[in-house]
Amino acid sequence: MEAKQQEMITIKSGQEGRFRWVAVTALLLAIGLILKLVTPAVAGITPNWLIAMYCIAINLTRVSIKQAAGIGLVTGAVAIPTSKAALPYANLISEPVGAIVCALIVHTSFKLAIGTINLRPAITAGISTVASGLTFITILKVALSLPVAVYLYGMLPVVLAVAGINMAITQLIYFPAQRLFGGKEA
């Protein structure tokens, strides 16, 4: 019987959390996907849990713009099979737009708080949802040759309503997620 020699793994200092952002994002997107599948629509509107979760992940990990684009692309791919939209592949464009917008806001030096309450999660979620939603409905309008009235009075109000809902959800979930994952403070 041969004796097995144990391998020694060495970790260079400063490399410990190099891919932490991937784990945090994957877990939050998985939670978002489950919530997307089980959340019923109210008046035809459901929160966009995937955007809320990637905004939380980007706020916690402060990823680069390139990494945010990757997060958005993965989110878009995950959203395709669960989409109820007429053109689900538009998510491959709209979600990276939303994630990049979120990362750009996260990297600004503006203090987005009222007193001691950090409002950056809500603000990033609202603006990212609007950016992603506008991109999505614009692609839909052009690809399906929809009338301007449908775009302005049918789809745009839904995007704004979802943005408001996402702002509240993201703000509420961010602080427990920050305690759980130990995110960076902006």
Side-chain angles (χ1 to χ4, degrees), residues 22-51:
V22 175
V24 169
T25 303
L27 184 59
L28 288 170
L29 286 179
I31 292 167
L33 182 60
I34 292 166
L35 289 170
K36 178 179 178 164
L37 291 171
V38 300
T39 304
V42 177
I45 298 173
T46 56
N48 192 323
W49 288 103
L50 293 172
I51 292 177

Side-chain angles (χ1 to χ4, degrees), residues 88-110:
Y89 293 102
N91 285 305
L92 292 172
I93 298 169
S94 67
E95 297 305 341
V97 168
I100 290 168
V101 166
C102 182
L104 288 169
I105 297 167
V106 165
H107 289 293
T108 62
S109 60
F110 300 120

Side-chain angles (χ1 to χ4, degrees), residues 75-166:
T75 304
V78 166
I80 290 170
T82 61
S83 179
K84 298 170 195 118
L87 192 62
Y89 293 102
N91 285 305
L92 292 172
I93 298 169
S94 67
E95 297 305 341
V97 168
I100 290 168
V101 166
C102 182
L104 288 169
I105 297 167
V106 165
H107 289 293
T108 62
S109 60
F110 300 120
K111 183 178 179 190
L112 302 172
I114 295 177
T116 59
I117 300 171
N118 179 7
L119 295 176
R120 192 177 301 266
I123 292 167
T124 57
I127 296 172
S128 296
T129 303
V130 169
S132 176
L134 282 176
T135 303
F136 190 87
I137 66 172
T138 301
I139 291 169
L140 224 61
K141 187 218 175 300
V142 171
L144 302 177
S145 300
L146 297 173
V148 174
V150 171
Y151 179 81
L152 292 176
Y153 304 117
M155 296 194 292
L156 187 58
V158 172
V159 169
L160 297 175
V162 171
I165 294 167
N166 274 8

